[in-house]
Amino acid sequence: MSDIDFNDLLRDAEQMTAQIDKENTGIPRLNRTLSQIHDVTKKKLAKTSNILSTDSNEINASILLAAKGIDAPKLTQTIESLNIQPNIQPSAKVNQISDETISPFDRLTNIEHLRDVDLPSFLKSEKESVLTSIIAEARQKTNQEIEDSFSTSNELEWEKQKQKIMTELLGSFNPDVSVSNTTTSSYSNRQAGFNPQARTVMNDIELEFARQIYLYNQKILNKEQPKPDLIKTFANFIKKMNEKNLEDLWDMIETMTNLPPMDFDQKLNYLERNNSEKTQLGYVNQAISHLERSFKDLIQNTVNANLKQAKLGGGLGTLRLVSGYLRLSSSEKYHQFSEETFDDKQPLWPTIYLCIRCGDIEAAKSVALNAKKEDIANYLDEIIKDSRNNCRGRLNHISENKLKIEYKSKIKRVNDAYKRAVYCYLGRYSGDDDSINEVLDNVDDFLWFKLNSVVFKKDQQSDNMTFQEFQAKMSVEFGEKYFTQNRNPFTYLQVLLLTAQFELAVEFLLKYETMIVHGVHMAIGLYEKNMLNILKNPVSSQLIVSGEPNEPKCLRRINLPFLIRMYTRKFECTDPREALEYYFFLRNLKVSTQISGEFKRISNYFALYISELALETREFEVLFGRLEKNAVRKPGIVDKFTNDEEANSIISLVAEEIENKGLIEEAVKLYDLCKQHQRVLELCNKLTSVVVTEINVPNSNRDRLKNMVMSIALRYKTETAITSKAIPKSIITTFYLLVDLMTFFDLYHAQNWETAYETLNKLNILPATSSNVDSKVRDFVAYSEEIKRNFPDLILASMTIISNLYSKINSMPTRGSGFQSSSLMMGAQNEKKTMLEELKEQARALIKFVGCIPYRLSGDINARLLQLEVMMN
């Protein structure tokens, strides 16, 4: 503004004033003094200076736009009204980054947004956006699948480790209570005499049980008839140990499982057979027989120890034995309740009761007749007659009801406890009102009396317990704590066995370290007799589980596969033969798909555990045998239990798992063992293709593979059974070509150029002249990947051989004292020239072949090939 003259301003102001006056707009004139004009001017100047100092850039821009005829405020409104759309286009920064340092996904995601310019750009942007979202979604889904697969694999691995840990913990369990002093001390002596440096880790009792298992399996495999009784076998060898507690245990087990033959429908399951009236009646009869026999033996042993006091005389029989027993001073309790006597002042009702307790109803009947108790004698006679048809006789319902009424009205109030006991026995009155507690003063008498009163069908008019209710009362209502408190733990085991609760008995035995071996073999013996309730789908690592909600509370199920695996875990590595004898019992137990894990085609636990044992011990030759030089498989210990088909199936499954673990060489041997020749060749191709071009060093990986592959190649060529029909021809061709290539590279690395060149020409896989390049390119396309990956090294080796031969031939003398005439010299020169031309032609053919094949060679190899070819020219 300093360039504008004041006179000019004054002139302009006068012109504006004149114009206003001329137009007569009606605006009043404002007359200001000189001082007022000065003040207004100062204010205007200050305001203009402030604007120029703060917004000079905007003012200059507005002036520039105005000079070009553009309205700045209108332009601002137009720009704000535009709808800008993003356009995806690779960033300039991304283009500067090397392709090798950025992933394809990052290349797509590293983008910037631009404005839409036209329809093609918009469509391209939308397409790239969709592709990007699809890739992101696929990547997220893949990551989720990988995490799920990893979690599942971890869970299966942890399940296996958990089973191992539980087995080791159970094997090292040391209870505070021992079953008996005799048993514990005996086992301690055996274990003390066990040599820990011996091959086996099994003690004497385990070895003897294993021997009996071996003999039993031998008879089963030989299909001996009738089928041997494994429990009886165990009981017989336990008797030779002269240990009373163990002998009584196995005697009970043998008695309770020695049921008469029963014809059941094959479709019935264990519970249906076990809950049938025939089976329960058999268990009760066997338990009562055992208790009666044991009681009679007890009386006999007591009398034999006091013959002078017993005064037996020359007679025999139960009555004479009971009479002698009642004369002993130790039988005072039988006299204190007696009110009636007979024949030499013997107590009447104790004599009848003891005869019945010994299982001799005839003797009890004779006593009743002698004492003129005709009614009791008649009841006993009815029982004797009924026993001829039902093994253990019973009174009919009319007689039982009559006796119960008489008991409740008269007999219940008499002082003679044994008279009350005889009436309760005859009428099958349970005596739950404590009226005969004086008689039932020990567990044996209690069990005998209660078992005689149980029924097998619930009758609303009867207060007798069913057999299942009595089982539940013993194991659930009373339970282990009741019977083991201030008693020998063996008592509770006896209760469980005599009430046919075998699963609970096995569970009880497994709680004591010294009794685990008996619990395991008891379970195996029961399973062989179809008397063990096993878990239907033993997926979990629980050894014993409760029954279903609708089943009795006392019912248990045994996880037999886990029990046997737990027991054999201790010695399976040192004694695999013995472990297999135990696994053989599991041959009919089907494997759940949740348990089989990787072994998808395993059908039974026998095969599953053999597979796991082979993977753990790696004793493949011991388990599965080996191939002899004549290609015949030498049997392993598995072949004793299986036929060839099943053995090959197990070996195949183990080979698959070994292959999955990356042990390819071991897998090849196993596949070869089970005659899966195609898989052998495929894996050999996979292994050989990696090392075929390497230098062969003694005892190296390549040297070991070469020996294995060569032996397989020689054997398969001589075996007419090799299935050229079943195995694809491409696999066989690849195998033998790789074997020949190994021979070629051995010659190449040994710098045996002439022989290597001859071998290469015999292989006929590279073009010798430019004319057959096309045919060799077609052959190359048909080769497998195992062959193609070795072509770069093969081509380079071939070019090196050609170059070395060219140099060698070119340096050979063509004239000298060796030639006698010019014609011979001319012939030698021509021959040398021909050989050199052939080598040069072959080199040119290789260069052309490299350019034609659909396979990318590295830059170093291409450069080396061209260098060698140039050197020859």
Side-chain angles (χ1 to χ4, degrees), residues 36-48:
Q36 289 176 337
I37 294 172
H38 182 264
D39 292 337
V40 172
T41 304
K42 287 178 65 177
K43 291 179 181 180
K44 294 290 184 181
L45 179 61
K47 188 181 294 185
T48 305

Side-chain angles (χ1 to χ4, degrees), residues 351-545:
T351 303
I352 296 176
Y353 171 79
L354 289 176
C355 288
I356 296 174
R357 181 68 177 84
C358 289
D360 195 339
I361 307 297
E362 289 283 359
K365 175 185 173 183
S366 66
V367 173
L369 290 174
N370 193 12
K372 298 182 180 180
K373 300 292 182 179
E374 286 81 5
D375 53 344
I376 300 298
N378 291 335
Y379 288 137
L380 292 171
D381 184 62
E382 184 178 344
I383 291 175
I384 292 171
K385 291 179 180 178
D386 188 64
S387 64
R388 296 168 185 169
N389 299 324
N390 298 321
C391 182
R392 184 162 296 279
R394 304 287 186 191
L395 295 178
N396 58 48
H397 291 293
I398 297 175
S399 299
E400 283 186 359
N401 293 333
K402 182 179 177 181
L403 277 170
K404 287 179 181 178
I405 294 172
E406 184 179 356
Y407 175 80
K408 291 179 181 179
S409 60
K410 297 180 182 180
I411 307 301
K412 185 177 182 179
R413 290 184 289 274
V414 302
N415 292 329
D416 195 332
Y418 289 95
K419 183 176 183 178
R420 297 197 301 268
V422 170
Y423 269 84
C424 286
Y425 168 79
L426 293 174
R428 287 208 292 175
Y429 181 63
S430 60
D432 290 335
D433 55 0
D434 301 331
S435 59
I436 56 172
N437 282 350
E438 301 93 334
V439 176
L440 309 179
D441 59 351
N442 59 66
V443 174
D444 283 9
D445 291 339
F446 175 80
L447 286 174
W448 175 82
F449 191 86
K450 294 299 182 181
L451 287 171
N452 273 292
S453 65
V454 298
V455 296
F456 306 102
K457 292 181 180 179
K458 190 65 178 178
D459 188 356
Q460 299 297 333
Q461 299 178 355
S462 174
D463 57 354
N464 291 54
M465 287 188 295
T466 63
F467 183 59
Q468 287 186 352
E469 291 173 342
F470 182 63
Q471 287 177 317
K473 185 173 184 178
M474 293 295 101
S475 59
V476 179
E477 184 176 338
F478 290 160
E480 179 182 353
K481 187 175 181 180
Y482 174 83
F483 286 103
T484 56
Q485 188 174 10
N486 301 325
R487 292 189 182 94
N488 190 329
F490 189 82
T491 303
Y492 182 57
L493 179 62
Q494 178 187 10
V495 170
L496 294 175
L497 288 174
L498 294 178
T499 54
Q501 300 185 76
F502 302 128
E503 295 78 20
L504 286 172
V506 171
E507 181 182 22
F508 179 80
L509 286 172
L510 294 177
K511 294 180 180 179
Y512 299 90
E513 183 178 0
T514 56
M515 300 302 291
I516 288 177
V517 61
H518 298 278
V520 171
H521 289 88
M522 174 185 167
I524 292 174
L526 290 168
Y527 172 70
E528 285 296 289
K529 295 175 75 73
N530 294 323
M531 292 183 178
L532 188 70
N533 188 20
I534 61 175
L535 204 59
K536 295 178 181 178
N537 296 312
V539 176
S540 69
S541 58
Q542 289 181 295
L543 185 59
I544 299 174
V545 298

